Amino acid sequence: MKTIKGLMLGILFSSVCLSFSMISFATEDSSEVEIEATQSSETQTKVTEAKKEIDLTPKFKIKEIKTTIGGKGTVEVEQIEGMKDLKGTFKTTVADQSVLSITDQGQWQGLKQGKTKATLDFEWDKESLQKIQEKYPDHQLVKKDIVQEVPVEVTETKEVNVDITPSFNVGTIRAKIGETGQFKVAPMGGVANPKGTYLAYIPEDSKGIISVDANGKWTALKTGKVDFVLDFQLSEESMKEIQDKNPGSTLKARSIASRVKVEVKPVGTLNITPRIDLTSINGKVGDTGQIKVKPIEGIKDATGSFVPRISDPSIIEIDSAGKWKALKAGTTSFTYTYNWSDETMKKLAEKYPGYEFFVEESAQVVEVKITENTTSSTKPIGTTKPVGKKLPATNESSTNMIWLTGLCLVFLTVIGWYKIETNK
């Protein structure tokens, strides 16, 4: 009996223990579910937070540096997405600094032949970081600690020549007086608009036809033809710019002269031949007068000077102003050249810019006839004998009648004498 009771108690005890064990397992399983749920929530939070991070780890555009001794370049860092003009400082390390140098601005230069490695890094400056934070206020700025290495190889410099012989946009100029134009030099060594000084070697006897200033501007001055040599001297600024674009190269100019042919024509022509207002001069000894030149092309108060050529200068004299004086009786003729004054020519040039003025070569002949001045009261000086009979100065009509009467008497006497002689 006791044995049966003991057995029953054992079974009861085992059942109770088993029940507690089941509850414990259930509790443990419930805890694990809770832990897993918590871990899942934390992971989701981390994913959400990760989406609000801005990665500032620099990314470089260059993957390797291959250059020659003296070669130059720049390491460029990519901008943060959606932003531009961000700045900072390069933090670089070159394993062999005798082969390549890199500044804190990312500018590199090959120093000697060899191979090495460069470790690249970059730090955004405060202003750039502030711009990034302002654009993404809900994001966290993070930077990964990643080592970025690029291989470097510097080789011997090969001799490269860059032609800097100037080539111009104009080789022939056909223009009218007063027209202007602009010389331009072709690109050199990768520089699109090289700067410098233009040099024009124009023959001395043709410098009045065209002019060229230091900036390459030309101006047609007067009619004519000329060939001249044009050259261009590069400025130091452009020389440096070409050298920077062609590191290690030699700048050379060929000894080739660039010749420019020029032909300048007038805008129009204008006849300015002087014309005087007379074709002959008739006067008496002692008379004076003025030769006047007709107005020219609407120019008021035109002035100039005469250069007369008189066949017999003893009969008449003419000064440069055109004033004449009769010297003695006689006939002669003269031609003249009349030169317009500088002031008059200036007025013509201002009124007719670009025109060519010409004077006809034909000469105008002016006939001159000078007679004695019989109305002069001047008496002869000294004693002179009268030639022929001197007639009385008064009662001239009475004297003439006496003479007629006397002649009639003489005539009648001759007739009477003749009849007497005949009757004998």
Side-chain angles (χ1 to χ4, degrees), residues 3-18:
T3 304
I4 294 170
K5 287 183 179 180
L7 180 60
M8 292 297 288
L9 287 173
I11 292 171
L12 179 63
F13 179 78
S14 299
S15 299
V16 171
C17 289
L18 181 61

Side-chain angles (χ1 to χ4, degrees), residues 173 183 199-203 210-212 218 226-231 258-262:
I173 296 176
F183 285 113
L199 304 170
Y201 299 96
I202 303 174
I210 192 170
S211 66
V212 182
W218 58 263
V226 62
D227 289 3
F228 69 90
V229 175
L230 184 64
D231 198 3
S258 297
R259 301 194 68 85
V260 180
K261 294 184 177 182
V262 178

Side-chain angles (χ1 to χ4, degrees), residues 20-161:
F20 276 108
S21 175
M22 292 292 289
I23 294 170
S24 176
F25 284 135
T27 303
E28 287 178 2
D29 290 344
S30 176
S31 298
E32 287 179 0
V33 170
E34 289 179 0
I35 290 170
E36 287 177 1
T38 302
Q39 288 177 345
S40 175
S41 176
E42 288 178 354
T43 302
Q44 188 174 0
T45 301
K46 287 182 179 179
V47 170
T48 304
E49 289 177 354
K51 289 182 179 178
K52 291 187 177 182
E53 290 180 353
I54 297 295
D55 188 2
L56 300 182
T57 305
K59 297 179 181 179
F60 302 99
K61 296 181 179 180
I62 192 169
K63 302 302 180 184
E64 63 179 358
I65 298 176
K66 285 187 175 182
T67 185
T68 58
I69 297 174
K72 296 179 181 180
T74 303
V75 178
E76 296 184 17
V77 65
E78 295 182 0
Q79 297 283 296
I80 302 297
E81 184 177 356
M83 302 196 70
K84 60 181 181 179
D85 298 330
L86 299 178
K87 299 179 181 179
T89 304
F90 285 88
K91 304 292 184 180
T92 58
T93 302
V94 180
D96 187 348
Q97 296 183 4
S98 66
V99 175
L100 186 82
S101 66
I102 305 179
T103 68
D104 58 1
Q105 297 301 313
Q107 297 172 346
W108 56 261
Q109 181 176 5
L111 301 178
K112 76 172 186 179
Q113 184 178 2
K115 293 182 178 181
T116 185
K117 290 184 179 181
T119 303
L120 307 179
D121 197 3
F122 185 83
E123 289 186 2
W124 305 101
D125 59 21
K126 292 181 179 180
E127 184 179 351
S128 295
L129 290 173
Q130 184 178 354
K131 289 181 179 179
I132 298 171
Q133 195 68 75
E134 289 174 354
K135 185 173 179 65
Y136 302 100
D138 298 331
H139 291 64
Q140 183 179 357
L141 308 182
V142 297
K143 179 182 177 183
K144 298 176 183 178
D145 189 12
I146 300 175
V147 176
Q148 301 182 61
E149 287 186 347
V150 295
V152 176
E153 182 179 2
V154 179
T155 56
E156 286 285 351
T157 304
K158 295 181 180 179
E159 186 177 357
V160 178
N161 296 328

